[in-house]
């Protein structure tokens, strides 16, 4: 009897089906690990659509005039690309996939605090996603407003704006519930002895993120409801013809959507803070500074939304305040970069695949952050606002930052998740091609923006042709790298070499349980007696 | 910022570019320094050469240094950004005023003497204030060479100003996404010597379409359409743009939605007149409401007669 029990406890979560078969062992399971993978597969599916739309845009822009599509299709393409990438991929991104999978394990818990709510969040996410994607196919054609849905154009267009907005509204609930779940989990379910300052950085960043999800998302919910009311009942919140104010819409939108950028980047920074100490065999440099800077970003990030609106017509006082706060919010990110690089100093570094992603993350994230300083300066912002420069900047932050960290985290935790190792040579090949393609794709956008090429342009003057060709070719290179990475991981998840419990020599709890982990993670809840990232 | 544009194209170029180059310089320095440190560490402390890491939990002194120094640096950056921006908000009182009117998808410029143009003409070394009027949705007026940009918000007339510093022609873009033809909402700024400009401004006839008085009414009608930017949304060859084509329906019944109900109306003079003065009253099937504004006051009754002549001539 007791032997049997022992045997059951060792069965991995992938073998433990709860008596369900086929797809039901996934979509009815409340195991945080299976839910994490549900998010991974759904996010990756949407990501393929988003990438395809992005490539179509770059192909259109490879030459002036009509190349592969007309203006209406192009406008719809960049709108749907933005909506899918932001609302379906980068906002849930790391918290939903790796947060779900790793948070309970890293704090020594058997699951999140509310497993059923967790599964419900995924269903809400899927419902919202389907609404968004249905806008592509239903009635009046895909929405053509840009992912920001700026008033009053968004109320005048005849395209399917409502399903997209309604979808974003529904997705907000998924985000709020996940945030709530994580907050309670971190407060209540830490293993005995895991004090706040013994908690690894990744759970800390999820904690900061969860507060933003909980507090900021309702604002976009209300804003999107106002949009729906405006369109259906013609209320006139934002339409100047009815006495409304279009700038009010921009404020409401960015009060959420700016902190949302930190929802995207904080867990990414958390993942990087896991990878670097592991591959440097060295405790993280400045643990407390990294934690404090995480909370500082989460807090100050609420007060900088106005920097999206420097040319919209705010008072000088507002511009002064938003600009100076924008510069100040850069400091905690800089502190993190300094601490990561210092962690490498005198380490014993193995430049394995996850480390390569982390190091390249630091590089592209610095470019994204430093170009953010250029945008934060009022005088320069007037010149480069709403040009290709902004597009370059946020792709370096959101794709370079969150995207690189996502791939880094995927390669880092892959052996833990599947119990198998990928082909490292192919993974490195994919990474270097992806990295080169990424720089070639988004780098020229800075130059185009400084030269004055506006964003969201279906067509452009011949003067801007050269850099656009380079950028489009970069997109093709990057996609090649992406395909190599995905095929390698996909094949390895099924037939890769069996992975050990701790292939990288990590110190946190996830590396002290089998790969893949058993259903309830730990046979018995561990007691924590030393600080995190200890190598001695 | 780059050689093809003169450094003093406007009075703001120096301030904007100074802030830009200071931030760019400091940024490149940090990017190169940190990347170099990272690469050196990765090579020097490679596990093969350096099998045992030397543990180090951090240093309060270092944390303070790399908090305070970057903070001071970004405050300097902020200062230059602020100083370059401040003059943009303080136009001189005696500036010449031009009304810039944006609608989907063109700009118009109206001078104090009533002269109306498609591109912006300004005198050298004279301050110019643009009163920004948006008629339908958000637009944004951007002159890259002058380093100026301001959003144009319907219902809220805003100002921008500058002093042109070099004779020449420059690009002027719309930079706030405004729908289908956003990327074609483009015109030019022409900076002229003051005496030349005064001559140009006096001549209010030059704005009238260059069509001889004895041109046929249909040709003059087409000029009215060109002048008002109608052809951005309506074609003459039957192709479907944002609005219905001029071609193909004269004298027939047209399916429309009026007051929420589907009905049919005769495509005649009265229909055309109504479509221009009250465009949302009867919406042709397959097209969207709310995209066109009334042209009452912009297109006179006589001009409508000319437009009707043109549409009739197309369909004969």
């Amino acid at each position: 009897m007791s032997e049997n029990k022992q045997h059951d406890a060792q069965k991995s979560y992938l073998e433990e089906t709860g008596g369900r078969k086929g797809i039901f062992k996934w979509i009815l399971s409340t195991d945080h690990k299976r839910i994490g993978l549900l998010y991974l597969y759904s996010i990756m599916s949407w990501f393929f659509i988003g990438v395809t739309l992005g490539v179509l845009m770059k192909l259109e822009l490879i030459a002036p005039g009509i190349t592969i599509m007309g203006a209406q299709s192009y406008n719809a393409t960049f709108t749907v690309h933005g909506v899918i990438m932001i609302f379906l991929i980068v906002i849930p991104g790391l918290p939903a996939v790796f947060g779900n999978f790793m948070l309970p394990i890293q704090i020594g818990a058997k699951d999140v605090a509310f497993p059923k709510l967790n599964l419900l969040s995924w269903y809400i996410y899927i419902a919202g996603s389907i609404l968004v994607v249905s806008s592509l196919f239903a009635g009046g054609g895909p929405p053509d407003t840009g992912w920001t849905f700026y008033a009053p154009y968004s109320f005048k267009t005849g395209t399917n704006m409502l399903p997209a907005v309604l979808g974003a509204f529904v997705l907000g609930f998924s985000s709020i519930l996940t945030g709530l779940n994580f907050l309670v989990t971190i407060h209540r379910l830490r293993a005995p002895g895991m004090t706040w300052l013994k908690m690894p950085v990744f759970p800390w960043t999820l904690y900061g993120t969860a507060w933003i999800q909980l507090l900021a998302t309702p604002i976009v919910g209300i804003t999107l409801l106002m949009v729906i009311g405006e369109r259906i009942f013609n209320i006139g919140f934002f339409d100047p013809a009815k006495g409304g104010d279009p700038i009010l819409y921009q404020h409401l939108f960015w009060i959420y959507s700016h902190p949302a950028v930190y929802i995207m980047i904080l867990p990414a920074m958390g993942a990087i803070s896991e990878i670097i100490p592991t591959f440097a065999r060295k405790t993280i440099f400045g643990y407390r500074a990294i934690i404090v800077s995480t909370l500082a970003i989460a807090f100050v990030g609420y007060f900088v939304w106005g920097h999206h609106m420097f040319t919209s017509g705010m008072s000088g006082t507002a511009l002064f305040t938003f600009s100076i706060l924008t510069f100040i919010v850069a400091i905690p990110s800089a502190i993190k970069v300094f601490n990561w690089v210092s962690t490498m100093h005198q380490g014993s570094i193995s430049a394995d695949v996850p480390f390569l992603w982390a190091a390249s993350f630091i590089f592209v994230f610095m470019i994204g952050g430093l170009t953010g300083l250029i945008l934060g300066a009022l005088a320069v912002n007037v010149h480069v606002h709403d040009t290709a420069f902004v597009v370059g900047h946020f792709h370096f932050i959101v794709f370079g930052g969150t995207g690189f960290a996502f791939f880094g985290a995927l390669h880092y935790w892959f052996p833990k998740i599947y119990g198998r190792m990928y082909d490292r040579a192919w993974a490195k090949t994919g990474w270097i091609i992806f990295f080169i393609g990424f720089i070639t794709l988004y780098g020229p956008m800075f130059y185009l923006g400084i030269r004055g090429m506006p964003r969201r342009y279906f067509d452009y003057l011949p003067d801007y042709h050269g850099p656009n060709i380079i950028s489009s070719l970069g997109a093709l290179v990057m996609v090649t790298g992406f395909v190599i990475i995905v095929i390698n991981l996909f094949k390895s998840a099924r037939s890769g070499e069996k992975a050990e419990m701790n292939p990288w020599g990590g110190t946190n709890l996830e590396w002290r349980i089998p790969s893949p982990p058993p259903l309830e993670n730990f046979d018995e809840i561990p007691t924590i007696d030393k600080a995190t990232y200890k190598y001695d | 910022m780059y050689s093809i544009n003169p450094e003093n194209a406007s009075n703001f170029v120096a301030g904007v570019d100074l802030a830009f180059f200071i931030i760019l310089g400091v940024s490149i320095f940090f990017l190169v320094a940190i990347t170099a440190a990272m690469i050196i560490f990765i090579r020097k402390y490679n596990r093969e050469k350096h099998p045992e890491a030397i543990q180090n939990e951090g240093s309060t002194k270092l944390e303070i240094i790399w908090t305070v120094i970057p903070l001071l640096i970004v405050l300097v950056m902020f200062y230059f950004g602020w100083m370059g921006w401040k003059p943009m908000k303080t136009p001189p009182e005696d500036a010449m005023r031009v009304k810039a009117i944006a609608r989907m998808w063109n700009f118009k410029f109206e001078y104090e003497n009533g002269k109306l143009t498609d591109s912006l003409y300004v005198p050298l070394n004279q301050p110019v204030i643009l009163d920004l009027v948006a008629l339908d949705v958000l637009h944004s007026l951007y002159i890259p060479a002058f380093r100026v940009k301001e959003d144009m918000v319907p219902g809220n007339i805003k100002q921008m100003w500058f002093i042109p510093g070099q004779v020449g022609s420059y690009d002027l873009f719309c930079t706030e996404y405004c729908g289908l033809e956003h990327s074609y909402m483009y015109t030019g700024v022409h900076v002229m010597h003051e005496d030349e400009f005064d001559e140009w401004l006096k001549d209010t006839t030059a704005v009238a379409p260059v069509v001889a008085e004895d041109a046929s009414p249909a040709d003059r009608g087409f000029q009215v359409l060109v002048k008002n930017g109608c052809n951005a949304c309506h074609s003459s060859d039957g192709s479907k743009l944002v609005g219905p084509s001029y071609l193909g329906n004269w004298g027939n019944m047209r399916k429309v939605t009026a007051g929420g109900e589907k009905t049919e109306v005769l495509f005649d003079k009265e229909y055309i007149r109504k479509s221009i003065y009250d465009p949302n009253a009867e919406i042709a099937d397959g097209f969207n409401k709310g995209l066109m504004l009334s042209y009452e006051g912009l297109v006179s009754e006589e001009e409508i007669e000319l437009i009707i002549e043109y549409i009739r001539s197309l369909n004969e």
Side-chain angles (χ1 to χ4, degrees), chain B residues 8-11 122-128 146 162-166 191:
Chain B
N8 58 343
S10 88
N11 55 322
V122 286
L124 182 66
N125 292 330
Q126 293 292 314
V128 180
F146 290 5
F162 51 81
I163 307 171
Q166 286 266 322
V191 182

Side-chain angles (χ1 to χ4, degrees), chain B residues 128-197:
Chain B
V128 180
I129 296 180
L130 300 183
D131 291 302
L132 306 173
V133 180
L135 294 178
D136 37 33
V137 298
L138 296 175
H139 300 280
S140 185
L141 195 154
Y142 177 33
I143 309 168
F146 290 5
R147 314 286 190 261
V148 292
K149 177 186 293 134
E150 189 70 35
D151 292 1
M152 305 172 83
V153 182
N156 178 9
I157 297 176
K158 306 196 320 177
Q159 271 83 40
M160 77 194 283
W161 81 284
F162 51 81
I163 307 171
Q166 286 266 322
V167 169
S169 293
Y170 308 93
D171 296 328
L172 187 158
F173 298 109
C174 173
T175 47
E176 186 64 67
Y177 175 70
C178 58
L180 184 68
E181 309 250 318
H182 171 53
S183 63
Y184 296 108
M185 194 162 159
Y186 157 79
T187 183
V189 185
H190 308 287
V191 182
M192 307 155 96
H193 286 291
E194 203 177 350
D195 42 352
E196 243 180 282
F197 176 80

Side-chain angles (χ1 to χ4, degrees), chain A residues 102-103 106-107 186 199-208 274:
Chain A
M102 289 299 163
L103 171 67
Q106 284 200 320
I107 63 171
I186 294 169
M199 194 161 74
V201 175
F202 187 60
W204 261 114
T205 54
L206 291 172
Y207 184 72
E274 297 294 316

